[in-house]
Amino acid sequence: MPARARAEASSENDALARAADWTRDYAPLPGIPDEFVGADGERRPHWERLLRALADLEPDEIDQRFAAADRRVRNRGMSYRVQGEAVERSWPLSRMPLLIPESEWREIERGMIQRAELLDRVLADVYGDGRLVAEGLLPAAAVTGSRDFVAAMRGVDPPGKRWLRLYAADIGRGPDGRWWALGDRAQAPSGSGYALENRLVVSQAFSNLYGRMNVERLAPFFRELRNGLRAAGVRSEPRIGILTPGPLSATYFEQAYLARYLGFLLVEGDDLVVSDGRAFVRTIAGLKRCDVLWRHVDAEWCDPLELNAASRIGVPGLIEAIREGGVAVENMPGSGLLESRALLAFLPALARRLLGEDLAMPNIATWWCGQPNERDRVLADLELFSIAGAFSDSVPGLPNGRPVAAAELSETDRAALRAAISARGVDFVGQDVVRLSTTPRWENGKLAPRPFVLRVYAAATPNGWRVMPGGFCRISDKLDARALSMGEGVESADVWVLAEKPVEAASLLPPPETARIVRMLGNLPSRAADNLFWFGRYLEREEATLRLVRCLAARAVDPDAPIHGSKQSIGRLKGLLVAWGAVDAGVANESSTVVIESALRDEQNYGSALAIARAARHAASVIRERLTPQIWQLIGRLETIIVDTPDRHLGEPEILDCVDEALTVVAALAGLFDENFNRSAGWVFYELGRRIERAINTCRLSRQFAAQDATEYALDVLLDLIDSQITYRSRTLLGVALAPVRDMALLDPFNPRSVAYQVNLVDEHLAALPALRQDGVPEEPRRLATLLRAELAAEYAERVDDGRILAVEQRVMTLADAIADRYFLHGAAASRPEGGVGLA
């Protein structure tokens, strides 16, 4: 045998041995359907094909690709928040995908389309004619008992006659091997964005494998979802927003990602106002019509006027705007009642009544205890049932409140449960005890069967229902998991629907003949402008604080510094850190080492480098949909560097290196914004924030180190702090002097660190922003900026005194306030355009 053939045979044998080793101990749970091993005990061929393809990779290469996937998760900032936790968790991506052959998927698809159509018709009847209740097919208490039933929506005619635009169902294999619906999601189905992110990460890590397995693409589904939302608007080019509860939402990352991916506005309740039966977004150009809202706020909280008055995340008057047809909300408020377990008991009969056919995808057999016969049946054989809440996830009367198999309860708890069902059966359902089916999970280099739940999505489009070819899969690390939510020990897997033929590439791009050229992407919401402005200010403030710390560290150990001048300047550096809130006044008398440690990472001080970095991260989190993964990664990196700064003695290289590294990250962030951020209104407000903050800081630094009594050493400190040493030295050979230094810091229009340079840019940026009134009269921010720009251009450096520097600083602060008053969100008093201008 030739050497090449022997090598190939050896490699083939090694691959087979690796695949065999991965699965040697794999054993499905008795009586539980498994994705890898069929009911006949044979391994399913599509899984064998995947494992064989993976085994062709060397062990080190597999580990490298897994590590690359983890790195992409971190770099993209993929995260979620567990309810009650303040800190986001990194997204737990499973090593192995869930595989579903095309023939099997078509059955799931058929069941999802039927189920979505059925539930949409149920909603139309419940909030319309009410025939199902009148005919006795659906008890009234099974509807009105749900807290998600919104009586205010009775009689509403939804856009396109659709109550649902995005429906999801959690499914798993039943005991007969068929796919069963475990529960319905219609309030605000989450997970589709995470499913898309899972796909992007895995397909990049295993690009050849992805194509080799003929995995169906997700982009066509999202294109159709977007088309369906567009069709709900009354205008040909509707403005679509994703209504989010805000950055503390458990799935805020997903909402921001979907807004960026689909090109929608991400809006909070305060961004919107209802007027004359229509919804508007508060923007920097006044109120702009909002045609469609993709709701991620539970119905109860979406309108404090007609629903929960305690809501601070809703839109006052939203329900009235829906009634008037002034805005399309998807899914419609009130659709959440479909998630009630009580409704599962009636779906088989409702399918026959409304569709004339049986359910293609059955759900768990359910008995609602609000009916005497069903309640008696459940109580008679309580140990045979799983007991759950009829209208919520909690079970009244149980210590942990979670659905539970009655047979697993203690005698005391079972007696309490029996009494609760007897007293108020309407709150309970009995269901067949179902253990989740299993799928392979990668654990310590081998495959093991673990329970999973698959969430599948169906979107209403102009061409009917479209099902996402894949979904959001959650896999537990525990063998017995009755219900899975994203928490400790749960991973999310990419879902591969395996086509029988090669799959063509797809994207969200429209056909060339239908693409409309747009250079300015709509109008910037006031909240986004506010946070971009403050992100710019925080970034500049962070740089100034880090420069003060670096200068203090360097000057404190400078052997060539004059004793008096050095001591005075160090005192003023410490004084500035106190004035800026970076250091407590009591700490300023301590050694420079203690002051530097406090200024860097004492989170109790609002002006410390760590506190500012966190403030910048918070401002950025509110505009996350507008930031690239690289920017978000650098924002997190900045905080990490400061936290990890070593606690060293003053002047040792390590602490200065860390400060320099943090400054490099700040510069990188500024560079990314300058080079990659479109020159739209968002970039303008980020720039305004930076320029305003730099002008104020330079004035403050000048008042400390370029005062009338400034020494040569102090002037040299100022040049360091404003990063102008090289420029100054190139202009004069006479050494530092007061007037030239003041000119460079305050008046030089060519120095990117001077006050005049900042004011000039602020004036130019304000000129590019839209005006509320088209009368030619400059608005207050522009008036202030233009006047200050002219005064600084005509100023003489020799005539500038300490009072004049303070006056300029105060003028810049007044300008900042004027920008905020004009452009940013201030409750219901936000600016409105004159005579309908800007109501587009």
Side-chain angles (χ1 to χ4, degrees), residues 429-441:
V429 295
Q431 295 182 308
D432 281 347
V433 178
V434 175
R435 293 185 64 189
L436 299 175
S437 54
T438 56
T439 190
R441 182 177 187 264

Side-chain angles (χ1 to χ4, degrees), residues 152 243 274 295 297-323 333:
L243 180 59
V274 172
R295 178 174 62 88
V297 175
D298 285 354
E300 178 187 3
W301 304 96
C302 71
D303 185 346
L305 290 184
E306 297 201 39
L307 301 175
N308 192 327
S311 174
R312 296 294 179 269
I313 58 176
V315 185
L318 183 61
I319 297 297
E320 181 60 28
I322 295 173
R323 288 196 201 99

Side-chain angles (χ1 to χ4, degrees), residues 149-167:
F149 172 72
V150 180
M153 297 300 293
R154 290 292 305 273
V156 171
D157 187 20
K161 307 298 182 182
R162 287 285 187 196
W163 282 81
L164 291 180
R165 289 283 169 180
L166 181 65
Y167 161 73

Side-chain angles (χ1 to χ4, degrees), residues 440-463:
R441 182 177 187 264
W442 187 273
E443 294 183 358
N444 301 317
K446 295 183 183 298
L447 295 183
R450 291 294 180 262
F452 76 97
V453 168
L454 172 60
R455 181 169 294 179
V456 186
Y457 302 86
T461 78
N463 300 314

Side-chain angles (χ1 to χ4, degrees), residues 239-303:
R239 185 174 286 109
I240 303 173
I242 294 180
L243 180 59
T244 172
L248 294 182
S249 169
T251 58
Y252 186 75
F253 168 82
E254 176 189 35
Q255 296 156 25
Y257 176 73
L258 287 171
R260 183 169 62 246
Y261 182 75
L262 296 171
F264 298 162
L265 289 176
L266 187 65
V267 294
E268 296 180 26
D270 281 344
D271 291 326
L272 300 167
V273 62
V274 172
S275 179
D276 298 328
R278 293 188 292 178
F280 298 90
V281 183
R282 292 181 171 113
T283 78
I284 60 170
L287 301 182
K288 296 294 182 181
R289 178 83 180 272
C290 183
D291 303 273
V292 181
L293 281 175
W294 182 0
R295 178 174 62 88
H296 286 259
V297 175
D298 285 354
E300 178 187 3
W301 304 96
C302 71
D303 185 346

Side-chain angles (χ1 to χ4, degrees), residues 73-387:
V73 166
R74 293 192 301 271
N75 291 347
R76 297 179 70 85
M78 292 177 65
S79 59
Y80 70 105
R81 179 179 279 107
V82 175
Q83 187 173 7
E85 293 185 355
V87 180
E88 290 181 322
R89 298 186 182 190
S90 182
W91 188 247
L93 181 63
S94 176
R95 296 286 191 254
M96 299 297 293
L98 173 66
L99 306 184
I100 303 177
E102 181 180 11
S103 58
E104 194 172 317
W105 181 256
R106 296 307 164 218
E107 291 301 310
I108 295 175
E109 187 176 57
R110 185 170 71 89
M112 283 293 297
I113 291 174
Q114 182 204 53
R115 202 171 182 89
E117 184 64 27
L118 170 63
L119 294 176
D120 189 57
R121 293 191 187 187
V122 169
L123 285 176
D125 181 86
V126 165
Y127 291 107
D129 295 338
R131 293 184 179 276
L132 296 176
V133 172
E135 295 173 7
L137 290 169
L138 187 60
V143 174
T144 58
S146 171
R147 66 181 182 184
D148 294 313
F149 172 72
V150 180
M153 297 300 293
R154 290 292 305 273
V156 171
D157 187 20
K161 307 298 182 182
R162 287 285 187 196
W163 282 81
L164 291 180
R165 289 283 169 180
L166 181 65
Y167 161 73
D170 290 334
I171 68 174
R173 287 192 188 274
D176 59 356
R178 297 170 60 200
W179 290 94
W180 288 51
L182 307 175
D184 300 294
R185 295 291 177 264
Q187 174 80 268
S190 62
S192 61
Y194 286 115
L196 181 58
E197 276 283 21
N198 288 346
R199 173 61 52 85
L200 292 175
V201 170
V202 174
S203 63
Q204 289 172 1
F206 295 93
S207 55
N208 294 336
L209 184 61
Y210 176 72
R212 184 172 168 182
M213 296 292 292
N214 296 337
V215 180
E216 291 197 16
R217 272 49 171 180
L218 301 184
F221 169 80
F222 285 96
R223 183 174 60 235
E224 291 302 313
L225 169 63
R226 186 170 63 183
N227 290 341
L229 291 172
R230 286 184 60 189
V234 296
R235 299 189 297 173
S236 60
E237 291 293 336
R239 185 174 286 109
I240 303 173
I242 294 180
L243 180 59
T244 172
L248 294 182
S249 169
T251 58
Y252 186 75
F253 168 82
E254 176 189 35
Q255 296 156 25
Y257 176 73
L258 287 171
R260 183 169 62 246
Y261 182 75
L262 296 171
F264 298 162
L265 289 176
L266 187 65
V267 294
E268 296 180 26
D270 281 344
D271 291 326
L272 300 167
V273 62
V274 172
S275 179
D276 298 328
R278 293 188 292 178
F280 298 90
V281 183
R282 292 181 171 113
T283 78
I284 60 170
L287 301 182
K288 296 294 182 181
R289 178 83 180 272
C290 183
D291 303 273
V292 181
L293 281 175
W294 182 0
R295 178 174 62 88
H296 286 259
V297 175
D298 285 354
E300 178 187 3
W301 304 96
C302 71
D303 185 346
L305 290 184
E306 297 201 39
L307 301 175
N308 192 327
S311 174
R312 296 294 179 269
I313 58 176
V315 185
L318 183 61
I319 297 297
E320 181 60 28
I322 295 173
R323 288 196 201 99
E324 296 291 330
V327 63
V329 177
E330 318 295 352
N331 288 333
M332 293 283 276
S335 57
L337 73 85
L338 296 177
E339 299 183 5
S340 302
R341 291 185 181 89
L343 197 63
L344 293 175
F346 306 98
L347 287 185
L350 292 176
R352 290 188 288 271
R353 167 65 175 80
L354 295 175
L355 303 178
E357 53 193 28
D358 291 328
L359 286 175
M361 182 189 294
N363 46 250
I364 304 173
T366 303
W367 291 264
W368 178 50
C369 296
Q371 297 172 295
N373 291 339
E374 284 71 12
R375 182 182 64 242
D376 293 344
R377 177 175 179 177
V378 170
L379 290 174
D381 297 306
L382 187 61
E383 293 80 3
L384 301 180
F385 290 95
S386 173
I387 305 300

